[in-house]
Structures are given as C-alpha cells and as structure tokens.
Amino acid sequence: MEGDGSDSPVTIKNIERELICPACKELFTHPLILPCQHSICHKCVKELLLTLDDSFNDVGSDNSNQSSPRLRLASPSMDKIDRINRPGWKRNSLTPKTTIFPCPGCEHDVDLGERGINGLFRNFTLETIVERYRQAARAATAIMCDLCKPPPQESTKSCMDCSASYCNECFKIYHPWGTVKAQHEYVGPTTNFRPKILMCPEHETERINMYCELCRRPVCHLCKLGGNHSNHRVTTMSSAYKTLKEKLSKDIDYLIGKESQVKSQISELNLLMKETECNGERAKEEAITHFEKLFEILEERKSSVLKAIESSKKLRLDKFQTQMEEYRGLLENNGLVGYAQEVLKETDQSCFVQTAKQLHLRIQKATESLKSFRPAAQTSFEDYVVNTSKQTELLGELSFFSSGIDVPEINEEQSKVYNNALINWHHPEKDKADSYVLEYRKINRDDEMLSWNEVEVCGTSKIIQDLENSSTYAFRVRAYKGSICSPCSRELILHTPPAPVFSFLFDEKCGYNNEHLLLNLKRDRVESRAGYNLLLAAERIQVGYYTSLDYIIGDTGITKGKHFWAFRVEPYSYLVKVGVASSDKLQEWLRSPRDAVSPRYEQDSGHDSGSEDACFDSSQPFTLVTIGMKKFFIPKSPTSSNDPENRVLPMPTSIGIFLDYDKGKVSFYDMDHMKCLYERQVDCSHTLYPAFALMGSGGIQLEEPITAKYLEYQENM
C-alpha cells in the first residue's frame, strides 16, 4: 500500500499537461468536448464566441447578443407581415444556424450547429481526473464541513445528492436513518459534485444509453428514433464501453511493453538535438561569413560614394568663394569701388583717360554680372543620390536558394477574397517541396506597404482570416525543401469588401412561387424556369399583357449597421433584378404583384421609362438594378449620361452589394476588382431584405463565405 501511495502523486504529476485547457492554459474548469474531440473550458468557449462575434455572423451561443451589429429576423410572410419589425423576432427552426470558431487545440474550425454550447457534452471523466489532481496537489488542505457552526470541523463524507460535505455528526443529523436522505449516495470528501447520470444535450430529460458508431458520440433513444441519428448505426452503451475499454487497455499495455524502445528513441532524440545544435551553429557561421562579405562590399561602395560627394562639394565651395570675393570688391569699402573713387580725384586729363579706360571696362563687366546673377555652381546633389531600390528588393528576398526548386504560381482564378481570403497556388515540383510559406501584407492608400506576415502551409492552399474591411492586400508564396527555399511567386493583389459579410439564404416561405422558380435544397441557388404559364401568357402579350417578375428575398433582415453580400448571375439569364427592399414595399409587391412589378414603372429597373428622373432624388424603400444578357444596366439619374450606351456595362463574374443602413445608402460592386459600379440612397425606416427577381430563364447563386472547413479526424476507435 505504501508503494501505491508513493507512486500516485508521481503519476498524477506526470499527467498535468493533459489537464491544461489549450485556451486559458490553466486546469480545466467544467470542460466541454468539441466535435473535433478536443476539450475546452465552458467559460473559454463563451469567450471565444464573444471574441469572434464580429468576424462570424451567427455565434450559436446560449446567450442572446443584443449588441450584435445586426438582428437576425425572420422573413415576412403574407399572413403575419405585421410581425416583421418586432425586435427579437427569431427565425424559424428550419433555418440552419451555425457557430464556427477555431479549436485552440488543433486550430481547425469546428461547427457547433444550431444548439451552440448547449449541444456539447461535459467531459465528466476529465473533470474527475482534474479534481483528483487538485486534491493530490492540496493533500495537506482538508475539506471542511459545510453545515458546522463556526469553527467548522473537517469533513469525512460528501453527499453527491446534496452537493455538500459533512463531518460525522452533521451527516447523522442531516441524513437520519429511516428517511429518504439516508439512501443518498455519499463518497469521500470532495469538492466535485458532478451529476450521476449523463443526460442528452438534444433531449435534456433523456439519459444517454446508446453510442452512434457513425458520429462517434453517445446518444439517447430519442436521437435514434426520430432525431439526427435515426438512420445511423448505433450500439448499446455497454457494448461500446466494453469495446473502447479493451482497445484503451491494449494501447496502454502496448505502450508499457515498449518502454525500453521509447527510452532508446529518447536517447536517439537527444543525440539528434545535439547534432542539430552543432549543425545550426555551423550554418549560422557560414551565413555570417556571407553577410560579412556583403558588408565589405557595401563599406567599399560607401567609402567611394562619400569620397566622390566630398570632392564635388569642395570644388563647388571653391567656386562660390571666388565668386563671393569678386562681388565683395564691388562694395564701397572694398577694392574696385574705392579704387575708382580715387581715380576720379585725378585732375590731369591725359593721366585720367589712361587709367579710367581700363577701370571703366572692369566696372561695366561687374555691372553686367549684377544684372544677370548666376551662381558659379549648383547646390543640389541630385546626381549623387544612391538608388538602392533594386538592391533593397533583392536583399529583402535574400534566402536559402537552390535552382532545383521551381517557383510556385498563385492561381488567380481559384484565389478570392470575401470575409476571408482563399489563396490557391500550383507548384510543378509539388512532390519535392516539404512545405510552403504564404506571405501577405496590407497596402495602404498611399502605396505604403507594411511588413510581411508569414504562414507556414503543408498543402497548396490556405485561408487567411481576420483581414480588415475595405483594404488592399498583397499575397505571395515560396516553397521549402529542407533548408532550401525557392524565390517568391509573383504577387497577387486582392481587395477586401467594404463591410462585414452578411450571411443569409433564399426564403421559400415569403412570395416564393415554386411554379416559376426552382430552389435547391441548400437554399443558396435559385433558377427561373419558363413553364406552361409563361408560354400561355405569351399569347396575350399582343393585347397588352406583360410577364410579371418572380420575386424571392433573403431569409434575414437588416435593421442597423454595415453589411456586404455577393452572388453570381448566370450568363444565360434573360432578366434579373437585384438589390434591397423594405418590409412594407415587399408587402405591397407580394400582395398585388401584377400591379407593381412592371419593369417600365420601376425607378431602378434600368429601362428608359422616364420615371427614373422624376423619382431619383426622393429616397425610396427599395433599390433594384437590372442584369441580363451578360450586361449590367446603370439606372438613369440626373448625374448620369442620357446615352444608353454609357449606362450598359459588361456583367461582372460576381456582384457584391454593400448596404450602409445607418447612412441609408446601397452600393453595387464588381467583385473581381472590388469596384463600385453604382450607388444611391435608400429609405431605411423599415427592415431591409436582400431582394431578387427573375423573368424568363435565369439563375442566381449566392457566394459562400470563405471559412476554414472542418476537417475529418482519423480516430482509432
């Protein structure tokens, strides 16, 4: 027993690093198990969600965040349109809501789903081990009775049902024989009162009694009957317990049996570390030698340049000194003027003429120099400015280089920026490269470039997060093979959107006409299909009938802040209208579509109806622009040209919309160059929704925000 007691603290002490939260770097407190199977403190998850609330649109938290940049509201429906503007009106449960944040343990993004923190299991086993470690660490500190009158006595038991510790006397008083409390479960003194039964986070009143082999997580019987695991293969908890316990025991036995091998490998690692230390010092000495040679060349050039500048400076100063002495002679008390005054005193005419003639020529020459003053030399040393821009660039790229590694090439078509930047590159010698380094930096408006940020990447793509809005960034990549580095690739310049990304899906419950429009299951793509109704309507076009637009809107409203979203219009589309519309205007359109959707009577339709001029200056509750036949039509305005050709632009590959709700302004962007094509005021007195309309054949695809995808984890279970 003594041997066991002495070994226990050592064992507990050795596992301390396993009990540290990767977020707060302290012992776990109420740890939760993330989908990637790493654990993190409950409070740390909340702090991460609050920190990333500005970067990600929905943080699936159990707290409502009223300070969010926008309120997520359900879309208006025909029978309950009056509920649109109520604060806090939540979306229906069918709308997917995700909470994505990077796991501090593996740095991969994990999605908590609609339930957020409430959908995570508490890691009771880890919690017990942490408590056991804490008790071992404070073995000298006794746990006192919670019910004693001061001074309290040392406790001897802890009741798991009452979540309290008792001394012998208090336990007898509060748990008398013959009562229900006498049947309570009690253990030795502890401060960890965990629940006796693991409950299902999806069905809070149901206990966990099965294990889903597909999702690799415990579930209850309701999850299997009609929940998310109804079609999954599940097994009993006892079977999963037996299987996993056997595997874990075998793993531990295997590691214990390999103890001598591990010690041998540790010795080998020590030797490798020493060898690495020596090789590293040798590499540093060689690098210093190369740099010292560069320093010698620079010192030699520096000495030569300074000598040339000094020689030129001395020559110019001598010229200025000579010229200055000549001008001083023109003064009354110096030289020429004084001599001339003395000559004027001569009364003998022949003698005067003999001397004055020469003197007159000298004074005349001096007078002419006064009329056209020219310095004898230049003060500027522009010819002696050292141009080091090329050398600076070369020195900035100074690295280990071998001609055996090709330069990676960034794929501009597959690289894009939205809420984050996705950079893809191609490398002809991909199999020969161990890793890559992606560099990026922000470019200021005055073309001032900040220092490069570096990210090491194992593959040929990387997502860069936390970029500033309305900014320009430069990206480049280089390949590494051991200590050998390739030159940097050609830089790629990308422009970030002017505001945070606004996430939404198409709403199939508000004005959606499934006879005319086809919506995919993800609700991020809609197509207009010309059916029998359109063909029959074509016969009546000759008698004044016009084809109405089919509207569809986003499932989320905007009530404040700045937001940006992007989408693609299919090139084959005949007529598509995109923009924003307020809830009251949507109510009018959707209740009487045939009276309000003629393209010739919409101020922003892009057609030459003449109504744009009359209503442009008045702020409207909607703004829609027309796109079709691979063209982007700029609506008429007092400031725009009346020439239709100047209002027709090529259709961008991807179109962005920027809504500044507080300033009442909406702008349309070409996403490829992040260039504003058109902007105007919009009435923001009501909730605004992304609005779309299609006529004839056409299609709209919402751009998916660039996020680091959750990677599948290989677990030997």
Side-chain angles (χ1 to χ4, degrees), residues 199-218:
M199 308 302 291
C200 177
E202 297 289 336
H203 311 92
E204 299 177 356
T205 60
E206 300 296 328
R207 61 181 296 179
I208 295 297
N209 55 7
M210 288 182 285
Y211 182 80
C212 177
E213 295 182 351
L214 179 62
C215 301
R216 296 175 181 175
R217 62 171 291 173

Side-chain angles (χ1 to χ4, degrees), residues 170-186:
C170 291
F171 187 81
K172 293 177 182 179
I173 295 174
Y174 290 97
H175 296 77
W177 290 104
T179 63
V180 176
K181 287 190 174 182
Q183 306 300 321
H184 284 187
E185 177 185 356
Y186 63 91

Side-chain angles (χ1 to χ4, degrees), residues 14 38 189 214 226 274 309 333 372 491 502 504 620 632-633 660 679 688:
N14 289 341
H38 289 97
L214 179 62
K274 292 179 180 179
I309 295 175
N333 297 326
S372 58
E491 293 184 10
F502 179 69
F504 65 91
Q620 301 177 100
F632 183 95
F633 296 89
D660 190 337
E679 66 178 14
L688 289 181

Side-chain angles (χ1 to χ4, degrees), residues 279-298:
N279 292 338
E281 292 299 323
R282 188 180 300 111
K284 284 168 61 177
E285 292 175 0
E286 293 177 357
I288 290 173
T289 302
H290 287 294
F291 277 101
E292 286 178 348
K293 290 181 180 179
L294 290 177
F295 294 154
E296 291 176 2
I297 296 173
L298 288 175

